[in-house]
Amino acid sequence: MTTAVRTPPSSPAPAAGPPPDRRAIRRINLASMAGTTIEYYDYFIYGTAAALVFDKVFFPNMGGVVGALAAFGTFAVAFVFRPVGSILFGHIGDRLGRKRTLILTLMMMGLCTVAVGLLPGAATIGVAAPILLVALRAVQGLAVGGEWAGAALFASENAPDGRRGRFALYPQVGATVAFALASATFLAVDLGVGETSAAFLSWGWRVPFVLSALLIGVGLYVRLHTEETPVFTAAARTPRRRGVPFLEVWRRQPRTMLLATGLTTGVFAVMSIASVYLTSYATSTLGMSTAGILTIDIIGALATVAITAAAAVLSDRFGRRPLVLAGCIALAVWSLVLFPLLDTRSPVAIGTGIVVLLGLIGLAYGPLGAYLPEMFSTRHRYTGAGLSYNLGGVVGGAGILVAAAPLAASGWGPIALGICTAALLLISVGCLWALPETRDTSLTDE
């Protein structure tokens, strides 16, 4: 039984086929970025709405901390369903191809997002409102669980050897662009109708969700006009007995699965803190306006875009591990500094704390688009990369959100949340230390 990551050859293996031409490269890059941007835009607007209005619209009778916890609970539902989506769509993607799966996940996510924007609140349909909200969120979780791995594989399996980091930056950048778009859309609505107005609570928060319908068409057009990856096409031509990808990856690479999951756990914990929790913390505890925190989020997201892209490109030269390692260590240190800095209530300090945090996320996150797919064999790569990515999301991303309020309310105050986040990042460092470099691994190796 094979338990370790596939050993890279001493020199780069030949590519699966001739490099695509420039027009094909542009389509590949746009397809991997556009769909991820759309799906994570949908994902982040939900998180922003959960932080700002869902407690009032869907849980009005709970109020205060309990209502906020219920709203964040619906956000966390998606994390639980993401591994299920990884298994389901990983099976489809490993058996039928990357392209078909990506079209399906895009449609599911987009339609559910529009439905959330049209969903009546508790004042109109009572308890059915939060129940339907949770159901739609669960389907979103399934779709996101299948999206990232497909986009990362679509990019990396089309890349020439030696340039996978550069190609795989597009789905990574897509997720960070989505955060900027989500924050900008809510900021525009907030400036237009006011964050405390009846209009914002009634229909203003719905605008970003309904606008998602326009983006679905763009992503669908791009993905329909691309071809299947050459790596998958070549593997599909090779006759072999095929097992269930989920069982195959645990049978052949269990150690890799566990270590890759541990690696992503800390990264997702800090991403959830930055993209969801701090929006609520800044408005409810620090007294910042919604417009103020959303503006900081936009600036921080743009910094993340730049650093994510740079880290992905540099990983082709220096390797995946050194950059991810530097990002995780820096994030662990900054997590300890963050809440004392925020609690000064200085707008400059708050802005610096959040922007630096988001920027450092890019350093750790950028190389993962190539790193995780390189760990797994073609026959179960979609399942392995997606499941390890999304299990990390459950343990780190959802776990830290569930623990955030109790930790912040403890005797240590918010610094306890920073300590917990730093501890999860140190777990990521330990797992990364046990994983090999994969920059020169051939994706056609079995």
Side-chain angles (χ1 to χ4, degrees):
M1 177 174 65
T2 303
T3 59
V5 178
R6 297 177 303 128
T7 304
S10 57
S11 60
D21 60 41
R22 290 190 176 184
R23 288 185 61 188
I25 288 174
R26 285 196 295 269
R27 287 197 300 271
I28 291 163
N29 293 340
L30 185 58
S32 60
M33 179 177 173
T36 308
T37 299
I38 292 166
E39 295 217 19
Y40 277 88
Y41 166 82
D42 295 347
Y43 188 73
F44 284 129
I45 60 174
Y46 192 103
T48 304
L52 298 178
V53 299
F54 276 4
D55 57 334
K56 305 174 185 69
V57 175
F58 294 103
F59 306 98
N61 297 324
M62 293 184 177
V65 174
V66 177
L69 283 173
F72 281 130
T74 66
F75 182 79
V77 164
F79 282 102
V80 176
F81 279 86
R82 279 168 61 168
V84 181
S86 298
I87 297 170
L88 172 63
F89 293 111
H91 185 92
I92 298 171
D94 283 326
R95 286 293 188 87
L96 301 180
R98 318 323 191 187
K99 176 181 173 178
R100 297 180 189 180
T101 313
L102 286 173
I103 292 171
L104 181 57
T105 60
L106 176 66
M107 292 300 297
M108 284 177 59
M109 186 71 178
L111 292 175
C112 284
T113 301
V114 174
V116 170
L118 299 175
L119 184 64
T124 303
I125 60 173
V127 71
I131 292 174
L132 289 172
L133 180 68
V134 169
L136 290 169
R137 188 61 178 160
V139 178
Q140 284 184 322
L142 290 174
V144 172
E147 165 63 27
W148 178 85
L153 266 62
F154 196 79
S156 58
E157 288 186 347
N158 272 297
D161 286 323
R163 297 183 64 195
R164 283 198 294 267
R166 181 182 295 272
F167 270 57
L169 75 84
Y170 290 94
Q172 305 303 89
V173 164
T176 54
V177 167
F179 183 50
L181 282 176
S183 299
T185 307
F186 267 100
L187 178 60
V189 173
D190 175 65
L191 294 176
V193 300
E195 65 186 88
T196 59
S197 69
F200 185 77
L201 290 177
S202 174
W203 59 266
W205 69 269
R206 300 177 184 274
V207 173
F209 289 84
V210 176
L211 284 178
S212 176
L214 301 176
L215 299 176
I216 297 172
V218 176
L220 188 60
Y221 175 84
V222 171
R223 286 189 168 174
L224 285 171
H225 287 77
T226 53
E227 301 297 329
E228 185 55 78
T229 73
V231 171
F232 178 83
T233 301
R237 293 196 195 105
T238 305
R240 65 168 61 91
R241 181 182 176 184
R242 293 188 177 186
V244 177
F246 173 70
L247 299 178
E248 285 286 292
V249 73
W250 284 109
R251 184 170 71 88
R252 294 176 177 271
Q253 296 184 271
R255 180 175 181 272
T256 302
M257 276 294 306
L258 293 174
L259 290 174
T261 297
L263 167 60
T264 58
T265 293
V267 177
F268 269 113
V270 74
M271 286 178 71
S272 288
I273 292 294
S275 64
V276 180
Y277 180 77
L278 289 182
T279 300
S280 175
Y281 184 75
T283 54
S284 63
T285 303
L286 302 181
M288 286 196 72
S289 67
T290 300
I293 186 59
L294 290 176
T295 300
I296 291 172
D297 284 344
I298 293 168
I299 296 170
L302 294 176
T304 311
V305 169
I307 296 174
T308 297
V313 171
L314 289 173
S315 74
D316 282 335
R317 180 175 180 183
F318 299 108
R320 322 296 183 210
R321 291 178 74 249
L323 290 156
V324 179
L325 181 64
C328 288
I329 292 174
L331 283 168
V333 173
W334 195 250
S335 295
L336 299 177
V337 174
L338 179 64
F339 284 99
L341 190 62
L342 298 181
D343 287 344
T344 65
R345 297 178 184 262
S346 161
V348 174
I350 294 171
T352 300
I354 294 175
V355 170
V356 171
L357 182 71
L358 286 165
L360 291 175
I361 287 173
L363 185 59
Y365 188 64
L368 291 181
Y371 194 31
L372 291 178
E374 288 169 344
M375 295 182 188
F376 298 96
S377 297
T378 303
R379 70 180 69 184
H380 50 247
R381 181 173 295 133
Y382 201 130
T383 302
L387 190 56
S388 59
Y389 183 86
N390 287 296
L391 282 174
V394 172
V395 179
I400 202 71
L401 287 179
V402 171
L407 285 171
S410 69
W412 286 72
I415 187 62
L417 183 58
I419 293 171
C420 183
T421 305
L424 290 173
L425 285 160
L426 290 179
I427 292 174
S428 293
V429 169
C431 292
L432 182 63
W433 204 260
L435 287 164
E437 180 57 60
T438 61
R439 176 183 55 175
D440 294 331
T441 299
S442 171
L443 294 185
T444 58
D445 282 352
E446 290 295 323

